[in-house]
Every structure is written in C-alpha cells, then in structure tokens.
Amino acid sequence: MSSILASSRSTLTRSLLQNASSRPSLLAVARNYSNGEKTLKERFAELFPAKAEEIKQLKKEYGDTVIGEVQLKQAYGGMRGIKGLVWEGSVLDPEEGIRFRNRTIPEIQKELPKGAGGSEPLPEALFWLLLTGEIPTETQVKALSADLASRSELPEHVSDLLDSLPKDLHPMAQFSIAITALESESKFSKAYAQGVNKKDYWNYTFEDSLDLIGKLPVIASKIYRNVFKDGKLVAVDPNADFGKNLAHLLGYQNDEFVELMRLYLTIHADHEGGNVSAHTTHLVGSALSSPYLSFSAGLCGLAGPLHGRANQEVLEWLFKLREEVKGDYSKDTIEKYLWDTLNSGRVVPGYGHAVLRKTDPRYTAQREFALKHFPDYDLFKLVSAIYDIAPGVLTKHGKTKNPWPNVDSHSGVLLQYYGLTEASFYTVLFGVSRALGVLAQLIIDRAVGQPIERPKSFSTEKYISLVKSINAKK
C-alpha cells in the first residue's frame, strides 16, 4: 500500500506541476501536498480497505439478522422509519439531533479547523471528517481548500449555457442543468467506458466529486449574479477557503457574512441518507451514473417545497405575518396568526420534522449566530417570538408530532440581514452545502462496492392479499 500511495502522490504532484502554467494556484497546492502530511485522497486510500473488510465480515456473520419490521402504513407513508439504507457520514437521532461521524454540531464547531481569524468551522474540514471519520489538521484543510479552488474553472460550454438561460427560470433548475452539463468532464464516465477495474471506481468518483465541489461556488454565484445582479464575477482566490470564496463570488466582502457561509455550508451538509436529496444521489449513483448526474438528480429533489425549498416558503410566510401584525409581536397577536394559518388548512412552515422530536440543533446554531451578531434585528426578533409561542400552539393543535422549529425556520433570516434577500436563491446555497455530504457517501459507496439499489414493490392488490394472509395466521 505504501508504494501505491507514494506513486499516487508522485503522479498527482507531477500532474499539478505540469498544469501550473495555466492554473498558477496549483503550485501552492503541490507545495502543500509535499510537506509530509497525508492528503485527503491518500488518507482515504489508507482507510477504506479496512472499512470494506469490516462490512464484508458484518454481512457474512450477521447478514441474516432481522433488524426491523415493516408495517403496511410505512409502505404507503413514504417508507418513513424503515431501516434500509447505509449512510456513514451522519446519523439523525429523534431526540438528540444530527451527529456527524458521532459528533454533535457544537462539537464540530469546537473541533474542526477554522478560517483565518474566524470562529466557525470550515465546510471542507467537515467533508474530510465525513469521508474519513477523522478531524483533519489545519495544514491538511488548507491544502484541501487550495485543491478545491484549483478545480473551480468552468468549461466554456457550461459558462455559456448558464449565460443563455432565461432569468425567470428558477435558480435551482439552472443549478441542476449546469451540473448535468458538467458530465462532459466526468473522469469516472470516461474511465468506465475504457473498462476500468471496479476496484478503481472510487478513485475516479473521488476526482469527479472534488472537481464538482470545487466548481459549485462559481456555478452558484454565476446563477446569482446573472439573475439578480450585473452578471459579473470576481476571480476565485486560490488562497481562500471554500466558504470565503463563495461569499466573495456572490459579491459580499463582509467578514461576518463569510463566517455565516462557513457555518451555513457546514450545518446543511449532511442529514443522514433517507432525505430526498441524499437518497436520490445515492440511488442514481448506485446505477454507476457519474457524480455529476447523481448529484444533479439529488438537486431536483432538493428543489421541492417539502425539502430544500422550504426555507423560501418560511420567509414568504414570515413576510406576510410581519405585514399583517405591523410590528405587534405580542403573544396574543402571533398566537392568533398561527391559529389562523392552521385553521385555514395550511401548516406553519419551518416547524416539524420527519424524524426529529426536538428543536433542530441546526436551528440552534443559527440562532446563536444571530444572538452574537445581530440580536436587535427586527426579523430575528419576530422569529424568536414565534419560537416562544408556536410549539405550544402546535402541541394544542395536536396534528404535529414535532412542534419544534427545524433548520429552515431560521436560515433565511440570517441571509436577509446581510442583504442576500432573494429567497428563490436560498435552496441553491443549500445545494452547494448538501454536495459535501452526498458526494462523500458516493465515494464511500464506490470504495466498498455498494450494489445497485433495488427494493421490492407490490401492487395494492398484492398487499391486500399479503396482509390478509398474514392476519389469517394469527
């Protein structure tokens, strides 16, 4: 293995140096790689053979163990709660909330490397953690940041495509279209067409994934600047971290906004594997579609109002509330508005969650950010007032299993404060973040040889026959 790693490092460094004339930032990446610390790819190459063997032995020894049962209402209820997926990066506990590689959000905020002069974790450091289970050093993250920046250039045809799209096409549709168009750059697809050994699938999936992640800030910002601004982009800074580059490309130089991007991208990155965007990316990837096609499919799911687009709906609801109450954030006024919303057959957006049964820790992290940086902001005060009142109303209403706020009920408020007011763009930011989690898992899937996903389905007639047969035996 050591000789393979040495060869891999030599080849990668040589490639970086050969391309340095056209992409000067690659020199910095090569220098970082040569300082003796393992790169992310090298560290993953060391770790995954043991993980693959662990999974192999687990299936061999316990493959026949029954790990749960399925009720008919689950089959008709969106497969809610069925244990049927493997997702290494994160686990969502109904009471505790999300854990990234067994670490809570407060723990990753404390343990992950920070940006220069900042206090929020770097999202690329979380990507390292999700892929390897290890906290990277500051030097390793700096090298990874430079590596991602070096991959940021868009092919001309993708740039031209984005410029040609109508401004009234939803930013998420533009985002998915651009990612699909990047299939032309897929190293995995090219290697597969040439008959690459399946043991090397992970290598090309890794390269595609980092290429894609590196381009996401440029794609997202180009959409934002085209649709809402003057269409002009600043250059990617080869020495800046992922969140800082995204903030600057969007057109924001505010240091607090840079910190917000780091936090936002970190806490939205992963939420176990059963959510629509994660599951879709995994499902399409299981057919050996490239990371570009797989993630583009995941983005189409994220665009839905029951998933990532919920943050846009929350903000629209908040604006209507604010307009109606005209500055009266008293308990009686807000409680009446909440009941009016519920009695009209609508839901209170931003409250409730498919799994969680407590306040979403991602909501809490954003609330603490707001308390630190803008506690007197009017819209934040409104959200805080709702937080004090809504759980009681929803509990009394009785139709919501979780009356507590989720991540969507707060994220738009933070963006509004710093001037990013275009709510239809918010899900694109969510998508940039979600790439970190789903692509880390896609690399792992290919490394351990996960097969195509193919659950069994029955017709309603077949289910009727099945449940009658089962109940007759009781």
Side-chain angles (χ1 to χ4, degrees), residues 203-218:
N203 186 5
Y204 296 97
T205 301
F206 180 97
E207 290 299 322
D208 274 2
S209 295
L210 264 69
D211 283 345
L212 174 52
I213 292 170
K215 290 173 173 54
L216 290 179
V218 178

Side-chain angles (χ1 to χ4, degrees), residues 74-376:
Q74 290 177 296
Y76 281 93
M79 298 192 291
R80 189 71 54 85
I82 295 174
K83 300 180 184 70
L85 291 172
V86 177
W87 200 262
E88 303 291 356
S90 62
V91 174
L92 182 58
D93 182 87
E95 301 301 328
E96 187 180 46
I98 192 70
R99 275 184 173 266
F100 300 105
R101 290 287 189 165
N102 205 33
R103 290 172 171 84
T104 64
I105 286 179
E107 286 171 343
I108 65 168
Q109 286 180 289
K110 179 181 178 181
E111 296 177 25
L112 289 179
K114 316 294 191 295
S119 60
E120 298 297 344
L122 293 176
E124 54 268 54
L126 179 68
F127 180 73
W128 186 299
L129 174 65
L130 294 175
L131 191 58
T132 67
E134 299 177 340
I135 298 289
T137 66
E138 290 186 7
T139 301
Q140 287 173 322
V141 175
K142 185 176 181 181
L144 180 56
S145 299
D147 188 9
L148 292 173
S150 75
R151 300 169 186 256
S152 62
E153 186 177 356
L154 297 186
E156 185 176 357
H157 75 89
V158 175
S159 183
D160 290 345
L161 174 62
L162 284 170
D163 289 339
S164 72
L165 295 174
K167 289 186 176 183
D168 60 354
L169 180 63
H170 196 283
M172 280 299 286
Q174 297 193 37
F175 200 23
S176 179
I177 288 169
I179 304 302
T180 300
L182 281 171
E183 171 67 8
S184 61
E185 312 304 299
S186 175
K187 296 179 174 67
F188 177 86
S189 294
K190 292 179 175 64
Y192 187 85
Q194 294 171 5
V196 65
N197 190 301
K198 65 175 61 177
K199 291 182 180 179
D200 290 327
Y201 285 174
W202 77 267
N203 186 5
Y204 296 97
T205 301
F206 180 97
E207 290 299 322
D208 274 2
S209 295
L210 264 69
D211 283 345
L212 174 52
I213 292 170
K215 290 173 173 54
L216 290 179
V218 178
I219 295 171
S221 299
K222 190 168 182 60
I223 293 169
Y224 179 73
R225 302 296 302 181
N226 280 352
V227 174
F228 303 110
K229 304 296 180 181
D230 59 6
K232 297 178 181 178
L233 280 181
V234 300
V236 170
D237 182 351
N239 298 310
D241 60 81
F242 191 74
K244 187 174 183 178
N245 261 323
L246 175 60
H248 289 179
L249 285 163
L250 289 170
Y252 296 86
Q253 299 294 323
N254 186 307
D255 288 342
E256 286 183 14
F257 186 81
V258 170
E259 281 283 88
L260 174 59
M261 285 296 96
R262 290 165 177 161
L263 175 65
Y264 186 101
L265 295 173
T266 298
I267 65 176
H268 284 80
D270 208 33
H271 216 230
E272 72 171 24
N275 66 76
V276 172
S277 55
H279 188 191
T280 303
T281 304
H282 162 79
L283 173 63
V284 175
S286 77
L288 298 186
S289 297
S290 76
Y292 297 103
L293 297 179
S294 302
F295 182 57
S296 178
L299 287 175
C300 291
L302 189 68
L306 294 184
H307 192 17
R309 190 175 170 178
N311 54 18
Q312 178 181 337
E313 295 199 333
V314 167
L315 204 60
E316 292 167 354
W317 180 82
L318 281 174
F319 287 156
K320 290 179 182 178
L321 189 163
R322 185 173 64 176
E323 181 180 353
E324 183 164 322
V325 303
K326 302 185 185 309
D328 179 6
Y329 296 165
S330 66
K331 180 178 183 298
D332 290 344
T333 300
I334 292 177
E335 187 170 313
K336 179 182 182 302
Y337 193 88
L338 289 167
W339 278 114
D340 287 346
T341 298
L342 294 169
N343 291 334
S344 68
R346 295 171 292 156
V347 299
V348 177
Y351 279 74
H353 192 272
V355 178
L356 280 171
R357 296 297 175 262
K358 61 169 286 184
T359 297
D360 192 333
R362 299 172 298 173
Y363 172 96
T364 303
Q366 293 179 107
R367 176 175 171 78
E368 290 173 350
F369 186 95
L371 285 169
K372 177 180 178 181
H373 295 290
F374 47 85
D376 296 325

